[in-house]
């Protein structure tokens, strides 16, 4: 956090206190394409679905019946843990949970309490799945077991079919999104919280660097041998003592090597800078993985 501007994402329009969900919105809320705001008049929906809530109620009845009348304890832990986590997810979306948001470190970085709707939906699905599975025990014929699941899925789709309507269409080609200018100027401005906090961002598209390296003071020539996300390699011939700038946003993981030897560099407002005397050099910039990243990579491999 101390190397980036990620703290800019806390507070302001993303203050969690302005984005709690009203209880009534779980039952029914406006299905729109806007954002969330303070109060209950949001431009997006947070409803769990009336049919889903009905199925949740039915799953609870079947659970009680199975546990008390039939004395079966299959999947009791699964049901109870999912039910508790479902209720917890709902609670964390309500303003009654403000004390938790204030007490738990870094909770404010979640920004929007309604993000717990993802978890509520997951555990709700497990609870309804339990109901379908246990209900099969009351039915002898196998075809009717599948029929129950089919009816639930079909009704869910039919009831919500009216929501499967996009706001608008566009005819942009892949080239539109892959255009370098669009990526460097439009897309990059959408989320810049991982830039250094003191990084000087370009105020217009003409200020965006076109190359990864610049010879600022001095004379020389260079050839870019590699330009990858985490690795840059430049062959450079300097005719006089020069200051070389690499157009890379600083992060401690960046290491600079000159002729295979690691060198120190200066962090400037819009890149990295190093001083070189007259001569021929191979400059490499490597984004070195941390031990945690290396371990995760080994585990995935």
């Amino acid at each position: 956090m101390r190397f980036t501007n990620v703290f800019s994402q806390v507070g302001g329009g993303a203050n969690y206190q302005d984005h709690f969900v009203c209880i009534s919105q779980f039952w029914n809320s406006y299905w729109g394409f806007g954002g969330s705001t303070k109060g209950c008049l949001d431009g997006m929906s947070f409803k769990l679905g009336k049919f889903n809530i009905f199925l949740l109620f039915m799953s609870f009845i079947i659970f009680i019946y199975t546990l008390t009348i039939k004395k079966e304890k299959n999947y009791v832990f699964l049901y109870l843990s999912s039910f508790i986590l479902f209720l917890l997810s709902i609670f964390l979306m309500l303003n009654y949970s403000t004390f938790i948001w204030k007490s738990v470190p870094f909770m404010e970085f979640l920004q929007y309490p309604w993000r717990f709707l993802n978890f509520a939906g997951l555990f709700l699905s497990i609870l309804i799945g339990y109901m379908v599975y246990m209900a099969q025990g009351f039915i002898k014929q196998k075809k009717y077991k599948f029929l129950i699941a089919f009816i639930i899925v079909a009704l869910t789709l039919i009831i919500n079919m009216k929501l499967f309507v996009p706001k608008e269409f566009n005819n942009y080609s892949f080239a539109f999104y892959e255009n370098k200018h669009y990526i460097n100027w439009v897309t990059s401005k959408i989320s810049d919280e991982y830039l250094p906090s003191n990084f000087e961002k370009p105020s217009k598209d003409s200020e965006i660097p076109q190359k990864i390296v610049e010879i600022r003071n001095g004379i020389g020539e260079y050839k870019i041998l590699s330009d990858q996300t985490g690795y840059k390699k430049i062959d450079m011939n300097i005719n006089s003592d020069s200051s070389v700038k690499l157009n890379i946003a600083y992060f401690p993981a960046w290491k600079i090597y000159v002729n295979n030897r690691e060198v120190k560099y200066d962090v400037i407002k819009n890149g990295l800078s190093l001083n070189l005397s007259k001569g021929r050099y191979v400059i490499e910039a490597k984004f070195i993985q941390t031990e945690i990243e290396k371990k995760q990579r080994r585990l995935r491999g």
Side-chain angles (χ1 to χ4, degrees), residues 143-190:
K143 62 180 180 179
Y144 292 118
K145 296 179 180 180
F146 290 104
L147 182 61
I148 293 176
F150 175 79
I151 290 175
I152 290 176
V153 173
L155 283 176
T156 301
L157 291 174
I158 293 172
I159 293 172
N160 296 286
M161 191 67 69
K162 61 181 181 295
L163 305 178
F164 287 81
V165 180
K167 180 182 179 182
E168 59 187 19
F169 293 89
N170 66 59
N171 295 315
Y172 298 143
S173 65
F174 287 113
F176 174 82
Y177 297 103
E178 295 172 347
N179 180 274
K180 187 175 182 180
H181 175 268
Y182 182 84
I183 295 173
N184 290 349
W185 179 243
V186 180
T187 306
S188 62
K189 291 193 298 183
I190 297 175

Side-chain angles (χ1 to χ4, degrees), residues 62 66 129-140 145 148:
I62 289 179
T66 303
Y130 169 88
M131 178 202 69
V132 174
Y133 182 81
M134 297 306 293
Q136 293 179 1
F138 308 138
I139 303 173
K140 295 182 179 180
K145 296 179 180 180
I148 293 176

Side-chain angles (χ1 to χ4, degrees), residues 27 33 113 133 168 210 227-228 232 248 254 256 272 281:
W27 176 255
F33 297 89
Y133 182 81
E168 59 187 19
Q210 299 302 310
D227 184 8
Q228 302 176 31
K232 320 287 182 183
I248 299 173
W254 280 110
I256 306 298
L272 311 177
Y281 302 98

Side-chain angles (χ1 to χ4, degrees), residues 214-230:
E214 300 175 20
I215 300 177
R216 299 196 299 168
N217 299 316
I219 302 173
E221 56 184 8
Y222 62 85
K223 180 180 179 181
I224 299 175
L225 303 178
S226 180
D227 184 8
Q228 302 176 31
T229 303

